[in-house]
Amino acid sequence: MENTGRTELSEIGEFGLISHLTKNNVATQETTKLAVGDDAAVVAFEEKHEMLITTDMLLEGVHFDLSYVPLRHLGYKAANVNFSDICAMNALPKQITVSLALSNRFSVEAIEELYEGIYLACKRYNVDLIGGDTTSSTSGLVISVTCLGQALPEQIVRRSTAKDKDLIVVSGDLGGAYVGLQLLEREKAVYLSSPGVQPDLEGNDYILERQLKPEARVDIVTMLKDAGIKPTSMIDISDGLSSELLHLCTSSNTGCVLYEEKIPIDPTTYNVARDFNMDPTVCALSGGEDYELLFTIDLQDFEKIKNNPHMTVIGHMTAASAGYNMISKSNTQHEITAQGWNALLKKEMPKSN
């Protein structure tokens, strides 16, 4: 909202705003037959493919804080968290719709910035924006994105199909988004107490980007396909590794063994977590918003991924009767409990001793 000019939403109205934001929208997917501009979009099914549909909502004051989240980054993130849900089914995102609830606090120029981020995400991942809605709000900004994806029926992966002895694999590294959030919250608190003080964010670009500009792991879906691997179960890490792993276990009726020393944590994440007197492993287990993919594979597929730097084997599934356990770096066993983000029951992250 740093534009020099300001056009009030009331000057152009709902339909004028939609027309303004979508005037340069160009559909690139062959399955998009009619995008923005009519009562409904038209999307064709490719032969033998099935369509996947997911919806995610972001609320100001709950999921984001505009005192430190740029609107362009917010738009990019809003799109990517939905792309990630499609990737978690071993499919690729194709189209999105975007609905906004806005107060008169926002100008046309501010919403343009939000849409610049949405369009950037769509361009990066070859996804079409095909529709949406706008309405007024008395309680801040609300963003609701629905994403459509496609895959052949035999390629789709669910949470409920893991089995005993499957390997547990995670993409990328974990905990960075949560630690980045702690850094932003600290600098906000400093600014509120001393408004003239500039934020101290130097050298922390990686963790800040993990929080403000996450990337959906479309590349992992493609890598697995190219390697001839179909995961036996899959989920994306939005609520923390421990919560997501327990989702896989309960859905599949299995137990698990996770090895702490195998959990991938970036050095910046590790160091900043320690600066905040937090256990980096706890940040990875319970922090959330990493939007990496957590999946299981058959033992026989290990050779196909063992040299891939984007994937790490962190444990294995067991019989349900064995429970949910983590082997610590000191070789002691601990029960895994879900301590990640819960939208209806927010828990405080535990600190290190």
Side-chain angles (χ1 to χ4, degrees):
M1 296 191 288
E2 297 176 354
N3 290 299
T4 54
R6 179 181 174 93
T7 305
E8 301 298 333
L9 295 175
S10 58
E11 291 182 34
I12 63 175
E14 178 185 0
F15 296 110
L17 178 63
I18 293 171
S19 177
H20 180 73
L21 295 173
T22 61
K23 62 185 177 183
N24 296 319
N25 187 48
V26 178
T28 60
Q29 291 288 337
E30 291 184 7
T31 52
T32 303
K33 300 304 180 183
L34 179 63
V36 180
D38 220 303
D39 289 294
V42 179
V43 177
F45 281 93
E46 291 183 354
E47 186 179 2
K48 298 182 180 179
H49 283 69
E50 290 187 345
M51 181 168 288
L52 299 95
I53 305 170
T54 184
T55 298
D56 207 277
M57 187 178 292
L58 299 178
L59 283 72
E60 183 178 356
V62 177
H63 300 102
F64 59 89
D65 185 335
L66 289 178
S67 66
Y68 54 72
V69 177
L71 284 166
R72 188 177 290 106
H73 287 69
L74 179 59
Y76 191 87
K77 183 173 183 175
N80 268 279
V81 300
N82 280 269
F83 299 167
S84 183
D85 280 334
I86 297 296
C87 292
M89 302 291 289
N90 200 38
L92 298 177
K94 298 292 184 179
Q95 291 95 5
I96 59 169
T97 65
V98 178
S99 295
L100 304 176
L102 306 160
S103 71
N104 58 12
R105 169 168 133 253
F106 295 92
S107 66
V108 172
E109 289 78 13
I111 304 307
E112 278 182 339
E113 288 191 24
L114 180 73
Y115 262 73
E116 283 178 13
I118 293 170
Y119 280 127
L120 180 61
C122 287
K123 182 177 180 181
R124 178 176 176 83
Y125 293 101
N126 194 25
V127 173
D128 289 343
L129 172 63
I130 61 170
D133 190 24
T134 60
T135 189
S136 60
S137 167
T138 59
S139 57
L141 175 62
V142 179
I143 308 169
S144 178
V145 179
T146 296
C147 186
L148 310 180
Q150 284 188 337
L152 292 169
E154 61 270 21
Q155 294 174 339
I156 296 172
V157 176
R158 295 167 173 79
R159 299 179 182 181
S160 58
T161 45
K163 58 188 186 300
D164 184 15
K165 298 184 177 61
D166 281 351
L167 299 178
I168 302 169
V169 187
V170 69
S171 67
D173 56 80
L174 305 177
Y178 180 75
V179 175
L181 178 62
Q182 302 316 298
L183 183 60
L184 289 166
E185 288 284 354
R186 182 193 71 184
E187 295 307 308
K188 176 187 175 182
V190 171
Y191 176 79
L192 291 175
S193 62
S194 306
V197 176
Q198 292 297 309
D200 180 16
L201 303 173
E202 188 175 351
N204 294 304
D205 291 359
Y206 180 71
I207 58 173
L208 293 173
E209 198 163 282
R210 293 289 284 176
Q211 169 58 220
L212 297 174
K213 191 173 174 287
E215 303 287 352
R217 297 310 304 261
V218 173
D219 58 329
I220 296 296
V221 175
T222 302
M223 286 179 197
L224 290 170
K225 182 179 179 181
D226 291 345
I229 298 172
K230 180 185 177 183
T232 54
S233 67
M234 183 180 276
I235 193 171
D236 76 327
I237 301 178
S238 56
D239 299 328
L241 174 61
S242 59
S243 292
E244 312 301 4
L245 182 54
L246 293 184
H247 281 315
L248 291 186
C249 289
T250 54
S251 295
S252 298
N253 192 31
T254 65
C256 65
V257 173
L258 178 67
Y259 295 93
E260 181 185 10
E261 66 178 1
K262 299 293 185 182
I263 299 174
I265 298 174
D266 183 83
T268 301
T269 300
Y270 186 93
N271 292 332
V272 176
R274 285 302 186 192
D275 289 343
F276 278 95
N277 194 33
M278 296 187 299
D279 185 336
T281 298
V282 173
C283 295
L285 288 172
S286 304
E289 289 202 295
D290 289 307
Y291 297 105
E292 295 292 346
L293 293 178
L294 174 69
F295 55 97
T296 55
I297 62 172
D298 192 281
L299 268 170
Q300 66 183 5
D301 287 326
F302 172 68
E303 292 295 321
K304 299 175 184 177
I305 70 159
K306 69 176 184 179
N307 295 320
N308 190 313
H310 302 283
M311 306 179 198
T312 306
V313 176
I314 59 173
H316 61 87
M317 291 301 206
T318 64
S321 58
Y324 320 119
N325 300 292
M326 182 178 76
I327 307 302
S328 71
K329 294 176 182 177
S330 59
N331 204 34
T332 57
Q333 182 172 295
H334 302 272
E335 181 183 3
I336 298 173
T337 57
Q339 297 182 358
W341 168 261
N342 184 318
L344 301 180
L345 182 63
K346 187 177 181 181
K347 299 178 181 178
E348 184 178 348
M349 283 279 293
K351 304 290 179 91
S352 59
N353 294 328

